Amino acid sequence: MARAFSEIAFTQSVRNRQEELGSRGDYASLDSPGVDPGDHLTEIEARFIQARDGFYQATVSETGWPYVQFRGGPVGFLKVLDATTLAYGDFRGNRQYISSGNLSDNDRVSIILMDYPNRTRLKIWARAQQVPIKDDPDLAAAVALQGYRALPERVVVLSVEAFDWNCPQHIPQRFTLSELAPDLTALRNRIRELEEENAELKAFLKS
Ligand SMILES: Cc1cc2nc3c(=O)[nH]c(=O)nc-3n(C[C@H](O)[C@H](O)[C@H](O)COP(=O)(O)O)c2cc1C
């Protein structure tokens, strides 16, 4: 945990609640100016982010309601441009533009990235800028996904302000089809071998 995370997440109401429930002392040292701000992604976070095929993104409406939407794509579609900048192509969907509209009023986002097989999650707080595809061809090229069937309408650039790794508690272990594919292929091959061997043995017994 780092100072930037504490400054953003531990609002006065949160601190009051921690005080009331006896945990304020566990986190008080994060406020010390000597503590690493922890607002720059390291190689560890960059590798983790680039291995994901989706994340949950929360925005805030002008009426104060949080709104969470899932953003998915091929592994690595959320690009790490540098230690404080992420970017992704925002694909055309049902054209409700809830996240996009929220971001035009309030640029704050909170995202959570899940690695279900390894039961790991990373939370990131950032400011989002929406860049029309035509306005910045270099940026559009940086988030382009060769061979992926989706139409990016804009690039969302996230300026990271804080992040925090969560503990693995209560994360169910899940695997996607592509994560299971190598094991399934090995199993299928083994079944085929055993079927062939079985057929040979049956034929031998009959002869
Ligand atoms: C034809 C089509 C229909 C969709 N319908 C839904 C839907 O009913 N609910 C939903 O959450 N997402 C739906 N999606 C996916 C969203 O449009 C997509 O995730 C989009 O980025 C949502 O952005 P927003 O929730 O910020 O408006 C649909 C996508 C397409 C292409």
Side-chain angles (χ1 to χ4, degrees):
M1 273 182 278
R3 186 150 47 83
F5 156 68
S6 162
E7 279 169 10
I8 290 182
F10 297 166
T11 57
Q12 193 53 54
S13 330
V14 173
R15 285 160 192 260
N16 293 347
R17 200 78 180 119
Q18 291 172 351
E19 197 72 62
E20 237 175 276
L21 298 173
S23 64
R24 181 82 284 263
D26 299 344
Y27 301 110
S29 65
L30 293 175
D31 295 337
S32 147
V35 172
D36 174 13
D39 51 2
H40 282 57
L41 304 167
T42 70
E43 264 304 306
I44 297 170
E45 284 81 35
R47 259 200 307 276
F48 182 85
I49 292 165
Q50 282 164 162
R52 305 276 65 82
D53 60 2
F55 60 92
Y56 301 90
Q57 174 183 269
T59 55
V60 189
S61 79
E62 70 224 65
T63 50
W65 284 100
Y67 176 74
V68 180
Q69 180 58 275
F70 180 76
R71 288 285 182 275
V75 166
F77 80 101
L78 178 60
K79 309 285 180 192
V80 180
L81 301 186
D82 61 45
T84 55
T85 317
L86 307 176
Y88 66 92
D90 200 14
F91 308 134
R92 173 170 293 189
N94 56 8
R95 310 193 74 205
Q96 291 181 357
Y97 299 118
I98 303 174
S99 305
S100 184
N102 285 347
L103 290 176
S104 64
D105 175 69
N106 184 334
D107 64 358
R108 290 176 178 88
V109 300
S110 172
I111 68 174
I112 187 157
L113 301 115
M114 302 296 301
D115 175 353
Y116 288 105
N118 295 303
R119 303 180 65 231
T120 313
R121 57 191 152 186
L122 176 63
K123 295 185 281 194
I124 298 177
W125 288 259
R127 300 267 179 182
Q129 189 197 348
Q130 305 185 78
V131 182
I133 293 288
K134 288 192 187 90
D135 287 10
D136 191 335
D138 290 343
L139 184 61
V143 299
L145 303 164
Q146 299 308 324
Y148 189 68
R149 282 168 59 89
L151 177 70
E153 289 189 319
R154 67 197 66 78
V155 182
V156 177
V157 180
L158 301 175
S159 300
V160 175
E161 299 216 349
F163 63 89
D164 187 49
W165 288 96
N166 244 175
C167 77
Q169 203 119 8
H170 308 301
I171 300 177
Q173 214 172 14
R174 288 190 186 129
F175 298 86
T176 63
L177 273 181
S178 56
E179 284 160 349
L180 284 173
D183 287 339
L184 288 176
T185 303
L187 277 176
R188 285 191 191 107
N189 289 342
R190 185 70 186 129
I191 289 169
R192 194 174 314 116
E193 276 169 24
L194 291 171
E195 283 173 346
E196 283 166 11
E197 190 182 294
N198 196 36
E200 279 170 24
L201 289 171
K202 277 185 178 167
F204 176 76
L205 286 176
K206 264 194 200 157
S207 65

